[in-house]
């Protein structure tokens, strides 16, 4: 592993050398970090292997787990280094996708609540050996997460789980899952929930990939039928799952989608914009994208200086969905029926149009995020 850099400049220069050697520089390329999970991938298994190999390479060269503690294999560096890395990395073409939830949500949760053996998974994650999935949403509980119906019942050796999850990103590639299940149906509903670590290869776990309208299939339904978990599969406290889950959902990363979408806008400028309404829609999208990029730059300066991400992450999330939908409307106006043309020339634009709605749903829908901002940021009375 590379030795600890003396300065951000030194780190940046090492990172650039590494990326130049192992990845392809594409500063004006399609922002795959935003869209990879929606793509129709011909060989998902090969794609997952490529992502694992890349993660291992990052680890071997000291660019995995930049802010994670050194005792689990991370670099123990500050947010400023993570931002410097993200800034550089976004300019390169490299295999992305299957580690998103694992690195951004699961890993930090294991670090915050895991016992010794659960924390030990973090090393395997950083080395690219383990993909995890987050088993929260159910057919009857998404926005209303406290309404989950999946049950975990105590047995002599641990717990037995029955239920169904849905929308589970990367479940088909996951070796482990981070599950929320109801352990006490009589308790007040937020208190009757416990978080667990689930071996996704255990008997009774069945993963059924779903086809998205983008053509991709990164989500799955996950069925849990009499799945036996050992007693030490509990993550945090029995009955403390809500606290664990809320901590996870608070790991909203600083977003840099505003700038990534700048690349999209530059590429979109080359399309035929004769139609006036479509042209005006594009201009609206460009103006909002620039405002978002400027807002994110301010947030990132605070984050690099050590401040925890606050409500900013929620504002940036809302704005990202809005810019993408504005661009999507503009594209449909400009391209008309060509957007449905199987010609690969339009593939990327079709992907933007079909993936845009997901940005209003993932990680909490716009309505839920607005309510959260109203109540917790603006201090308005609860509805
Ligand atoms: C790209 C993507 C990745 C995802 N990955 C995962 C994952 O890995 N693991 C996982 O567990 N889940 C995942 N999800 C699921 C996601 O968390 C849920 O889709 C989301 O929380 C909304 O839940 P729902 O789909 O059940 O919609 P519902 O909760 O059924 O909402 C339907 C509509 O009703 C509105 N609504 C609901 N309640 C209220 C309210 N109180 N006030 C106002 N409006 C309301 C919503 O805003 C929405 O418009 C993912 C989703 C997407 C799009």
């Amino acid at each position: 592993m590379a030795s600890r850099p003396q300065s951000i400049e030194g780190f940046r220069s090492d990172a650039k050398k590494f990326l130049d050697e192992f990845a392809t520089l594409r500063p004006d390329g399609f922002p795959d970090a935003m869209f990879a999970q929606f793509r129709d991938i011909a060989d998902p298994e090969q794609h997952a292997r490529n992502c694992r190999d890349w993660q291992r390479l990052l680890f071997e060269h000291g660019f995995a787990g930049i802010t994670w503690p050194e005792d689990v294999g991370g670099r123990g560096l500050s947010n400023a280094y993570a931002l410097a890395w993200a800034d550089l990395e976004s300019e390169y073409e490299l295999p992305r996708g299957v580690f998103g939830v694992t690195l951004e949500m699961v890993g930090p949760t294991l670090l915050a609540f895991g016992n010794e053996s659960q924390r030990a998974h973090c090393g395997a994650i950083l080395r690219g050996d383990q993909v995890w999935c987050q088993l929260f949403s159910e057919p009857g509980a998404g926005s209303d997460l406290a309404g989950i119906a999946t049950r975990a019942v105590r047995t002599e050796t641990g717990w037995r789980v029955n239920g169904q999850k849905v929308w589970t990103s990367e479940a088909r590639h996951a070796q482990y899952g981070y599950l929320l299940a109801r352990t006490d149906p009589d308790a007040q509903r937020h208190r009757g929930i416990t978080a667990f670590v689930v071996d996704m290869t255990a008997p009774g776990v069945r993963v059924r990939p779903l086809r998205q309208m983008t053509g991709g299939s990164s989500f799955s339904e996950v069925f849990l039928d009499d799945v036996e978990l050992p007693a030490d599969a509990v993550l945090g406290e029995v009955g403390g799952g809500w606290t664990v889950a809320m901590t996870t959902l608070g790991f909203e990363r600083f977003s840099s989608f505003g700038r990534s979408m700048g690349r999209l806008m530059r590429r979109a400028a080359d399309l035929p914009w004769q139609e006036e309404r479509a042209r005006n829609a594009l201009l609206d999208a460009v103006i909002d994208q620039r405002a978002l990029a400027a807002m994110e730059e301010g947030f990132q300066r605070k984050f690099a200086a050590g401040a925890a991400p606050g409500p900013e992450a929620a504002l940036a999330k809302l704005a990202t969905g809005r810019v993408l939908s504005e661009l999507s409307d503009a594209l449909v106006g400009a391209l008309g029926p060509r957007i449905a043309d199987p010609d690969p020339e339009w593939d990327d634009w079709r992907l933007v149009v079909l993936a845009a709605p997901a940005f209003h749903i993932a990680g909490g829908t716009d309505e839920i995020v607005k309510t959260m901002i109203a109540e917790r940021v603006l201090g308005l009375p609860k509805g």
Side-chain angles (χ1 to χ4, degrees), residues 37-38 134 136-137 142-143 167-169 219 358 361-362 365 367-368:
Q37 66 175 313
F38 303 106
Q134 187 174 300
F136 282 18
S137 304
S143 303
W167 290 98
T168 318
S169 302
F219 310 122
I361 302 171
T365 64
E367 289 76 16
I368 297 299

Side-chain angles (χ1 to χ4, degrees), residues 16-27:
K16 177 137 185 33
K17 267 188 233 145
F18 166 78
L19 286 164
D20 283 340
E21 184 173 351
F22 293 103
T24 309
L25 182 65
R26 234 174 40 133

Side-chain angles (χ1 to χ4, degrees), residues 281-329:
L282 176 72
L283 290 177
D284 283 343
V286 170
I287 291 165
D288 285 343
Q289 173 269 321
R290 294 211 174 153
L292 171 61
M295 182 168 83
E296 282 175 353
E297 220 179 289
F299 297 161
Q300 291 182 5
R301 266 200 300 276
K302 277 170 59 187
F303 188 65
E312 294 95 328
L315 291 171
K317 178 177 150 26
L318 283 180
T320 299
R322 178 185 166 134
V323 173
L324 266 181
S325 289
E326 284 170 344
L327 175 63
S328 163
D329 289 349

Side-chain angles (χ1 to χ4, degrees), residues 28-50:
D28 249 334
F30 187 75
D32 247 335
M34 291 183 74
F35 296 100
Q37 66 175 313
F38 303 106
R39 275 203 192 280
D40 184 1
I41 293 169
D43 185 347
E45 295 310 317
Q46 183 58 49
H47 171 66
R49 275 196 294 279
N50 294 344

Side-chain angles (χ1 to χ4, degrees), residues 35 72 109 111 129 191 218 236 239 251:
F35 296 100
V72 298
T109 308
L111 289 171
D129 291 339
R191 296 215 179 95
S218 59
F251 292 131

Side-chain angles (χ1 to χ4, degrees), residues 129-337:
D129 291 339
Q130 286 180 10
V131 172
W132 284 57
C133 61
Q134 187 174 300
L135 298 153
F136 282 18
S137 304
E138 299 184 0
S143 303
D144 182 21
L145 189 57
I148 55 165
T150 294
R151 283 292 315 274
V153 178
R154 272 191 204 272
T155 63
E156 276 180 16
T157 54
W159 301 86
R160 182 174 302 122
V161 180
N162 279 287
Q164 187 202 331
K165 298 290 173 174
V166 72
W167 290 98
T168 318
S169 302
E170 310 307 344
R172 67 193 299 181
H173 302 301
Q175 286 76 45
Y176 289 93
Y178 156 28
L179 167 81
L180 288 186
R182 188 162 300 286
T183 42
D184 185 352
D186 299 324
Q188 188 263 351
R189 49 190 221 134
H190 295 84
R191 296 215 179 95
I193 295 173
T194 301
F196 294 93
V197 169
V198 180
D199 178 346
M200 295 294 285
T201 63
V205 179
R206 191 160 55 89
V207 175
R208 201 167 75 107
L210 293 168
R211 194 84 167 156
Q212 298 151 225
M213 67 175 170
T214 56
S217 54
S218 59
F219 310 122
S220 293
E221 291 178 299
V222 177
F223 300 90
L224 302 143
D225 295 316
D226 287 333
V227 178
E228 301 288 343
L229 302 180
D232 65 0
V234 172
L235 181 59
E237 303 287 325
V238 173
W242 190 251
T243 307
V244 180
M246 289 305 105
T247 306
T248 304
L249 297 179
F251 292 131
E252 284 275 16
R253 257 175 35 127
F254 54 86
S255 139
S256 53
F257 285 167
R259 214 184 63 174
S260 303
M261 286 192 288
R263 278 190 265 156
L264 269 186
M265 300 302 171
R266 285 196 290 280
R267 286 166 64 107
D270 293 335
L271 295 170
W273 292 105
Q274 289 86 354
E275 213 265 307
E276 191 184 343
R277 242 168 55 129
R279 200 165 58 236
N280 287 339
L282 176 72
L283 290 177
D284 283 343
V286 170
I287 291 165
D288 285 343
Q289 173 269 321
R290 294 211 174 153
L292 171 61
M295 182 168 83
E296 282 175 353
E297 220 179 289
F299 297 161
Q300 291 182 5
R301 266 200 300 276
K302 277 170 59 187
F303 188 65
E312 294 95 328
L315 291 171
K317 178 177 150 26
L318 283 180
T320 299
R322 178 185 166 134
V323 173
L324 266 181
S325 289
E326 284 170 344
L327 175 63
S328 163
D329 289 349
L331 288 169
V332 171
L335 297 177

